[in-house]
Short mmCIF file of all heavy atoms in Angstrom, two decimals:
data_model
loop_
_atom_site.label_atom_id
_atom_site.label_comp_id
_atom_site.label_asym_id
_atom_site.label_seq_id
_atom_site.Cartn_x
_atom_site.Cartn_y
_atom_site.Cartn_z
N LEU J 110 -4.05 11.32 -19.63
CA LEU J 110 -4.03 11.65 -21.05
C LEU J 110 -2.69 12.22 -21.50
O LEU J 110 -2.10 11.77 -22.49
CB LEU J 110 -5.14 12.66 -21.36
CG LEU J 110 -5.26 13.14 -22.81
CD1 LEU J 110 -5.56 11.97 -23.74
CD2 LEU J 110 -6.34 14.21 -22.93
N ASN J 111 -2.17 13.20 -20.74
CA ASN J 111 -0.99 13.93 -21.20
C ASN J 111 0.34 13.29 -20.81
O ASN J 111 1.34 13.51 -21.49
CB ASN J 111 -1.03 15.37 -20.67
CG ASN J 111 -2.25 16.13 -21.16
OD1 ASN J 111 -2.67 15.97 -22.30
ND2 ASN J 111 -2.84 16.95 -20.29
N VAL J 112 0.35 12.53 -19.71
CA VAL J 112 1.60 11.88 -19.29
C VAL J 112 1.68 10.47 -19.85
O VAL J 112 2.66 10.09 -20.48
CB VAL J 112 1.73 11.86 -17.76
CG1 VAL J 112 2.99 11.11 -17.33
CG2 VAL J 112 1.75 13.28 -17.21
N PHE J 113 0.63 9.68 -19.62
CA PHE J 113 0.66 8.27 -20.01
C PHE J 113 -0.01 7.99 -21.36
O PHE J 113 0.07 6.85 -21.84
CB PHE J 113 0.01 7.41 -18.92
CG PHE J 113 0.76 7.40 -17.62
CD1 PHE J 113 0.33 8.16 -16.54
CD2 PHE J 113 1.92 6.65 -17.48
CE1 PHE J 113 1.03 8.17 -15.34
CE2 PHE J 113 2.63 6.64 -16.30
CZ PHE J 113 2.19 7.41 -15.23
N SER J 114 -0.66 8.98 -21.92
CA SER J 114 -1.36 8.82 -23.21
C SER J 114 -2.34 7.66 -23.17
O SER J 114 -2.50 6.92 -24.14
CB SER J 114 -0.33 8.60 -24.34
OG SER J 114 0.55 9.70 -24.43
N LYS J 115 -3.00 7.49 -22.03
CA LYS J 115 -3.95 6.40 -21.84
C LYS J 115 -5.17 6.96 -21.11
O LYS J 115 -5.29 6.85 -19.88
CB LYS J 115 -3.31 5.26 -21.03
CG LYS J 115 -2.09 4.61 -21.70
CD LYS J 115 -1.43 3.60 -20.77
CE LYS J 115 -0.26 2.91 -21.43
NZ LYS J 115 0.85 3.82 -21.77
N PRO J 116 -6.11 7.56 -21.82
CA PRO J 116 -7.28 8.15 -21.17
C PRO J 116 -8.09 7.14 -20.36
O PRO J 116 -8.72 7.50 -19.37
CB PRO J 116 -8.09 8.72 -22.33
CG PRO J 116 -7.57 8.05 -23.56
CD PRO J 116 -6.14 7.74 -23.28
N GLU J 117 -8.07 5.88 -20.77
CA GLU J 117 -8.80 4.83 -20.06
C GLU J 117 -8.16 4.49 -18.71
O GLU J 117 -8.72 3.72 -17.91
CB GLU J 117 -8.90 3.57 -20.92
CG GLU J 117 -7.59 2.82 -21.15
CD GLU J 117 -6.72 3.38 -22.27
OE1 GLU J 117 -6.96 4.54 -22.69
OE2 GLU J 117 -5.79 2.67 -22.71
N PHE J 118 -6.99 5.06 -18.45
CA PHE J 118 -6.25 4.79 -17.22
C PHE J 118 -6.77 5.62 -16.05
O PHE J 118 -6.48 5.34 -14.89
CB PHE J 118 -4.76 5.11 -17.48
CG PHE J 118 -3.82 4.78 -16.36
CD1 PHE J 118 -3.85 3.55 -15.73
CD2 PHE J 118 -2.89 5.72 -15.93
CE1 PHE J 118 -2.98 3.24 -14.69
CE2 PHE J 118 -2.01 5.43 -14.91
CZ PHE J 118 -2.06 4.19 -14.29
N SER J 119 -7.57 6.64 -16.32
CA SER J 119 -7.96 7.64 -15.33
C SER J 119 -8.63 7.04 -14.09
O SER J 119 -8.18 7.25 -12.96
CB SER J 119 -8.89 8.68 -15.98
OG SER J 119 -9.31 9.62 -15.03
N ASN J 120 -9.71 6.29 -14.27
CA ASN J 120 -10.45 5.74 -13.13
C ASN J 120 -9.63 4.70 -12.36
O ASN J 120 -9.74 4.59 -11.13
CB ASN J 120 -11.76 5.13 -13.60
CG ASN J 120 -12.77 6.18 -14.00
OD1 ASN J 120 -12.67 7.34 -13.60
ND2 ASN J 120 -13.75 5.79 -14.81
N VAL J 121 -8.85 3.93 -13.09
CA VAL J 121 -8.00 2.92 -12.45
C VAL J 121 -7.01 3.59 -11.51
O VAL J 121 -6.84 3.19 -10.35
CB VAL J 121 -7.26 2.08 -13.51
CG1 VAL J 121 -6.40 1.00 -12.83
CG2 VAL J 121 -8.24 1.44 -14.47
N LEU J 122 -6.34 4.61 -12.00
CA LEU J 122 -5.35 5.33 -11.19
C LEU J 122 -6.01 6.01 -9.99
O LEU J 122 -5.47 5.99 -8.88
CB LEU J 122 -4.63 6.36 -12.06
CG LEU J 122 -3.58 7.23 -11.36
CD1 LEU J 122 -2.49 6.38 -10.73
CD2 LEU J 122 -2.97 8.23 -12.34
N LEU J 123 -7.17 6.60 -10.20
CA LEU J 123 -7.87 7.31 -9.12
C LEU J 123 -8.20 6.35 -7.97
O LEU J 123 -7.99 6.68 -6.80
CB LEU J 123 -9.14 7.95 -9.66
CG LEU J 123 -9.99 8.72 -8.64
CD1 LEU J 123 -9.21 9.89 -8.06
CD2 LEU J 123 -11.29 9.21 -9.28
N LEU J 124 -8.72 5.19 -8.30
CA LEU J 124 -9.08 4.21 -7.27
C LEU J 124 -7.84 3.71 -6.53
O LEU J 124 -7.83 3.61 -5.30
CB LEU J 124 -9.82 3.03 -7.92
CG LEU J 124 -11.24 3.32 -8.39
CD1 LEU J 124 -11.74 2.18 -9.27
CD2 LEU J 124 -12.17 3.51 -7.20
N MET J 125 -6.80 3.40 -7.28
CA MET J 125 -5.61 2.83 -6.66
C MET J 125 -4.90 3.84 -5.77
O MET J 125 -4.37 3.48 -4.70
CB MET J 125 -4.66 2.32 -7.75
CG MET J 125 -5.16 1.09 -8.48
SD MET J 125 -5.30 -0.37 -7.41
CE MET J 125 -3.58 -0.84 -7.28
N ILE J 126 -4.89 5.11 -6.17
CA ILE J 126 -4.16 6.08 -5.37
C ILE J 126 -4.85 6.33 -4.03
O ILE J 126 -4.20 6.70 -3.04
CB ILE J 126 -3.97 7.40 -6.15
CG1 ILE J 126 -2.74 8.16 -5.61
CG2 ILE J 126 -5.20 8.29 -6.08
CD1 ILE J 126 -1.44 7.43 -5.76
N TRP J 127 -6.18 6.09 -3.96
CA TRP J 127 -6.86 6.26 -2.67
C TRP J 127 -6.60 5.11 -1.71
O TRP J 127 -6.98 5.17 -0.53
CB TRP J 127 -8.35 6.49 -2.87
CG TRP J 127 -8.64 7.93 -3.14
CD1 TRP J 127 -8.96 8.52 -4.33
CD2 TRP J 127 -8.59 9.00 -2.19
NE1 TRP J 127 -9.11 9.88 -4.18
CE2 TRP J 127 -8.88 10.21 -2.87
CE3 TRP J 127 -8.31 9.08 -0.82
CZ2 TRP J 127 -8.92 11.45 -2.24
CZ3 TRP J 127 -8.35 10.32 -0.19
CH2 TRP J 127 -8.65 11.47 -0.90
N ALA J 128 -5.91 4.08 -2.21
CA ALA J 128 -5.43 3.03 -1.30
C ALA J 128 -4.15 3.46 -0.60
O ALA J 128 -3.70 2.79 0.34
CB ALA J 128 -5.19 1.73 -2.08
N LEU J 129 -3.57 4.59 -1.03
CA LEU J 129 -2.27 5.02 -0.51
C LEU J 129 -2.24 5.25 1.00
O LEU J 129 -1.38 4.69 1.69
CB LEU J 129 -1.82 6.28 -1.26
CG LEU J 129 -0.52 6.93 -0.79
CD1 LEU J 129 0.64 5.96 -0.91
CD2 LEU J 129 -0.25 8.20 -1.59
N PRO J 130 -3.13 6.08 1.59
CA PRO J 130 -3.03 6.31 3.04
C PRO J 130 -3.19 5.03 3.87
O PRO J 130 -2.54 4.86 4.90
CB PRO J 130 -4.15 7.32 3.33
CG PRO J 130 -5.03 7.31 2.14
CD PRO J 130 -4.21 6.88 0.99
N PHE J 131 -4.04 4.13 3.41
CA PHE J 131 -4.23 2.86 4.13
C PHE J 131 -2.98 1.99 4.02
O PHE J 131 -2.56 1.36 4.99
CB PHE J 131 -5.45 2.12 3.57
CG PHE J 131 -6.71 2.93 3.59
CD1 PHE J 131 -7.21 3.53 2.44
CD2 PHE J 131 -7.40 3.12 4.78
CE1 PHE J 131 -8.36 4.29 2.47
CE2 PHE J 131 -8.57 3.88 4.83
CZ PHE J 131 -9.04 4.46 3.66
N THR J 132 -2.37 1.99 2.83
CA THR J 132 -1.16 1.20 2.62
C THR J 132 -0.01 1.73 3.47
O THR J 132 0.75 0.96 4.07
CB THR J 132 -0.76 1.23 1.13
OG1 THR J 132 -1.84 0.76 0.34
CG2 THR J 132 0.46 0.35 0.88
N VAL J 133 0.11 3.04 3.54
CA VAL J 133 1.16 3.66 4.35
C VAL J 133 1.04 3.23 5.81
O VAL J 133 2.04 2.90 6.46
CB VAL J 133 1.08 5.20 4.23
CG1 VAL J 133 1.83 5.88 5.37
CG2 VAL J 133 1.63 5.66 2.89
N VAL J 134 -0.18 3.19 6.31
CA VAL J 134 -0.39 2.82 7.72
C VAL J 134 0.02 1.38 7.99
O VAL J 134 0.82 1.10 8.90
CB VAL J 134 -1.86 3.03 8.12
CG1 VAL J 134 -2.13 2.43 9.51
CG2 VAL J 134 -2.21 4.51 8.14
N PHE J 135 -0.52 0.43 7.20
CA PHE J 135 -0.21 -0.96 7.56
C PHE J 135 1.25 -1.34 7.24
O PHE J 135 1.81 -2.22 7.89
CB PHE J 135 -1.21 -1.97 6.97
CG PHE J 135 -1.29 -2.10 5.48
CD1 PHE J 135 -0.27 -2.67 4.74
CD2 PHE J 135 -2.45 -1.72 4.80
CE1 PHE J 135 -0.38 -2.83 3.37
CE2 PHE J 135 -2.57 -1.86 3.44
CZ PHE J 135 -1.52 -2.43 2.71
N MET J 136 1.89 -0.65 6.30
CA MET J 136 3.30 -0.92 6.05
C MET J 136 4.18 -0.40 7.17
O MET J 136 5.14 -1.06 7.59
CB MET J 136 3.71 -0.31 4.71
CG MET J 136 3.09 -0.96 3.50
SD MET J 136 3.63 -2.67 3.26
CE MET J 136 5.26 -2.42 2.58
N LEU J 137 3.89 0.79 7.69
CA LEU J 137 4.68 1.31 8.81
C LEU J 137 4.47 0.48 10.08
O LEU J 137 5.41 0.23 10.83
CB LEU J 137 4.32 2.77 9.07
CG LEU J 137 4.94 3.81 8.13
CD1 LEU J 137 4.47 5.21 8.49
CD2 LEU J 137 6.46 3.75 8.16
N LEU J 138 3.23 0.06 10.32
CA LEU J 138 2.98 -0.78 11.49
C LEU J 138 3.67 -2.13 11.37
O LEU J 138 4.10 -2.71 12.36
CB LEU J 138 1.48 -0.96 11.70
CG LEU J 138 0.70 0.29 12.14
CD1 LEU J 138 -0.77 -0.02 12.31
CD2 LEU J 138 1.28 0.85 13.43
N SER J 139 3.81 -2.63 10.14
CA SER J 139 4.53 -3.89 9.94
C SER J 139 5.99 -3.72 10.37
O SER J 139 6.61 -4.66 10.89
CB SER J 139 4.45 -4.34 8.48
OG SER J 139 5.33 -3.62 7.65
N CYS J 140 6.56 -2.52 10.17
CA CYS J 140 7.93 -2.26 10.64
C CYS J 140 7.98 -2.28 12.16
O CYS J 140 8.97 -2.74 12.75
CB CYS J 140 8.41 -0.91 10.11
SG CYS J 140 8.57 -0.81 8.33
N GLY J 141 6.94 -1.77 12.80
CA GLY J 141 6.88 -1.83 14.25
C GLY J 141 6.86 -3.26 14.75
O GLY J 141 7.58 -3.62 15.68
N PHE J 142 6.05 -4.11 14.13
CA PHE J 142 6.01 -5.53 14.51
C PHE J 142 7.36 -6.20 14.26
O PHE J 142 7.79 -7.06 15.03
CB PHE J 142 4.91 -6.26 13.74
CG PHE J 142 3.52 -5.95 14.21
CD1 PHE J 142 2.63 -5.29 13.39
CD2 PHE J 142 3.11 -6.32 15.48
CE1 PHE J 142 1.34 -5.00 13.82
CE2 PHE J 142 1.82 -6.04 15.93
CZ PHE J 142 0.94 -5.38 15.10
N GLN J 143 8.04 -5.80 13.18
CA GLN J 143 9.35 -6.36 12.89
C GLN J 143 10.35 -5.99 13.99
O GLN J 143 11.18 -6.81 14.39
CB GLN J 143 9.85 -5.85 11.54
CG GLN J 143 11.14 -6.50 11.06
CD GLN J 143 11.56 -6.02 9.69
OE1 GLN J 143 10.77 -5.41 8.96
NE2 GLN J 143 12.79 -6.28 9.31
N GLY J 144 10.26 -4.76 14.50
CA GLY J 144 11.12 -4.35 15.59
C GLY J 144 10.89 -5.16 16.86
O GLY J 144 11.82 -5.38 17.64
N TYR J 145 9.67 -5.63 17.05
CA TYR J 145 9.34 -6.49 18.18
C TYR J 145 9.66 -7.96 17.91
O TYR J 145 9.32 -8.84 18.71
CB TYR J 145 7.85 -6.38 18.51
CG TYR J 145 7.50 -5.21 19.39
CD1 TYR J 145 6.71 -4.16 18.90
CD2 TYR J 145 7.92 -5.14 20.72
CE1 TYR J 145 6.35 -3.09 19.71
CE2 TYR J 145 7.56 -4.07 21.53
CZ TYR J 145 6.78 -3.06 21.02
OH TYR J 145 6.44 -1.99 21.83
N TYR J 146 10.26 -8.27 16.74
CA TYR J 146 10.59 -9.63 16.31
C TYR J 146 9.35 -10.48 16.05
O TYR J 146 9.42 -11.71 16.05
CB TYR J 146 11.48 -10.35 17.35
CG TYR J 146 12.82 -9.69 17.55
CD1 TYR J 146 13.02 -8.80 18.60
CD2 TYR J 146 13.89 -9.95 16.71
CE1 TYR J 146 14.25 -8.18 18.80
CE2 TYR J 146 15.13 -9.35 16.90
CZ TYR J 146 15.30 -8.46 17.94
OH TYR J 146 16.51 -7.86 18.12
N ARG J 147 8.22 -9.84 15.79
CA ARG J 147 7.00 -10.57 15.44
C ARG J 147 6.94 -10.68 13.91
O ARG J 147 6.21 -9.96 13.23
CB ARG J 147 5.77 -9.87 16.01
CG ARG J 147 5.77 -9.81 17.53
CD ARG J 147 4.39 -9.50 18.06
NE ARG J 147 3.43 -10.53 17.71
CZ ARG J 147 2.12 -10.47 17.99
NH1 ARG J 147 1.64 -9.41 18.62
NH2 ARG J 147 1.31 -11.42 17.63
N VAL J 148 7.75 -11.61 13.41
CA VAL J 148 8.02 -11.67 11.99
C VAL J 148 6.78 -12.05 11.18
O VAL J 148 6.49 -11.45 10.14
CB VAL J 148 9.17 -12.67 11.72
CG1 VAL J 148 9.42 -12.80 10.23
CG2 VAL J 148 10.43 -12.22 12.44
N VAL J 149 6.04 -13.04 11.63
CA VAL J 149 4.87 -13.50 10.88
C VAL J 149 3.83 -12.40 10.76
O VAL J 149 3.29 -12.15 9.67
CB VAL J 149 4.26 -14.76 11.54
CG1 VAL J 149 2.96 -15.15 10.85
CG2 VAL J 149 5.25 -15.92 11.50
N ILE J 150 3.54 -11.74 11.88
CA ILE J 150 2.58 -10.63 11.86
C ILE J 150 3.08 -9.52 10.95
O ILE J 150 2.30 -8.91 10.19
CB ILE J 150 2.36 -10.09 13.28
CG1 ILE J 150 1.69 -11.15 14.16
CG2 ILE J 150 1.49 -8.83 13.25
CD1 ILE J 150 0.30 -11.52 13.73
N SER J 151 4.38 -9.25 10.99
CA SER J 151 4.95 -8.21 10.15
C SER J 151 4.76 -8.51 8.67
O SER J 151 4.35 -7.65 7.89
CB SER J 151 6.45 -8.04 10.46
OG SER J 151 7.02 -7.06 9.63
N ILE J 152 5.03 -9.74 8.27
CA ILE J 152 4.87 -10.14 6.87
C ILE J 152 3.40 -10.10 6.47
O ILE J 152 3.05 -9.69 5.36
CB ILE J 152 5.45 -11.55 6.63
CG1 ILE J 152 6.97 -11.53 6.84
CG2 ILE J 152 5.13 -12.05 5.22
CD1 ILE J 152 7.61 -12.90 6.82
N LEU J 153 2.52 -10.48 7.39
CA LEU J 153 1.09 -10.46 7.10
C LEU J 153 0.63 -9.06 6.72
O LEU J 153 -0.11 -8.87 5.75
CB LEU J 153 0.31 -10.95 8.33
CG LEU J 153 -1.22 -10.90 8.22
CD1 LEU J 153 -1.70 -11.85 7.13
CD2 LEU J 153 -1.87 -11.24 9.55
N PHE J 154 1.09 -8.06 7.49
CA PHE J 154 0.65 -6.70 7.21
C PHE J 154 1.54 -5.98 6.19
O PHE J 154 1.19 -4.90 5.74
CB PHE J 154 0.60 -5.89 8.52
CG PHE J 154 -0.49 -6.34 9.44
CD1 PHE J 154 -0.23 -6.70 10.74
CD2 PHE J 154 -1.80 -6.44 8.97
CE1 PHE J 154 -1.25 -7.12 11.59
CE2 PHE J 154 -2.82 -6.86 9.81
CZ PHE J 154 -2.55 -7.20 11.11
N GLN J 155 2.64 -6.58 5.83
CA GLN J 155 3.51 -5.96 4.84
C GLN J 155 3.01 -6.21 3.43
O GLN J 155 2.96 -5.31 2.62
CB GLN J 155 4.94 -6.48 5.00
CG GLN J 155 5.96 -5.71 4.21
CD GLN J 155 7.36 -6.22 4.49
OE1 GLN J 155 7.82 -7.18 3.90
NE2 GLN J 155 8.04 -5.59 5.43
N ASN J 156 2.66 -7.46 3.12
CA ASN J 156 2.19 -7.75 1.76
C ASN J 156 1.27 -8.97 1.65
O ASN J 156 0.44 -9.03 0.76
CB ASN J 156 3.38 -7.94 0.79
CG ASN J 156 4.49 -8.78 1.38
OD1 ASN J 156 4.24 -9.68 2.18
ND2 ASN J 156 5.72 -8.49 1.00
N LEU J 157 1.42 -9.91 2.57
CA LEU J 157 0.64 -11.15 2.46
C LEU J 157 -0.85 -10.88 2.59
O LEU J 157 -1.67 -11.41 1.81
CB LEU J 157 1.09 -12.15 3.53
CG LEU J 157 0.34 -13.48 3.58
CD1 LEU J 157 0.45 -14.21 2.25
CD2 LEU J 157 0.88 -14.36 4.71
#
């Protein structure tokens, strides 16, 4: 309401932000796969 002036945004933002810890995990692990030169697996867990 006070930052975005969009009260209807509340539930959408709440749901999406709880995807954060899961996203952090699979993105960091994708970097690990990239270090092992497993490029396809890395891209799969990065965004595909």
Side-chain angles (χ1 to χ4, degrees):
L110 179 61
N111 299 322
V112 177
F113 294 103
S114 300
K115 298 174 178 64
E117 69 277 16
F118 185 49
S119 178
N120 288 340
V121 181
L122 178 58
L123 180 62
L124 288 168
M125 290 296 283
I126 204 62
W127 275 105
L129 176 60
F131 304 102
T132 304
V133 162
V134 170
F135 64 70
M136 292 294 283
L137 281 179
L138 291 180
S139 78
C140 295
F142 287 114
Q143 187 177 345
Y145 276 114
Y146 297 96
R147 297 197 63 184
V148 177
V149 174
I150 295 295
S151 179
I152 294 172
L153 176 65
F154 291 126
Q155 191 176 85
N156 43 32
L157 178 59

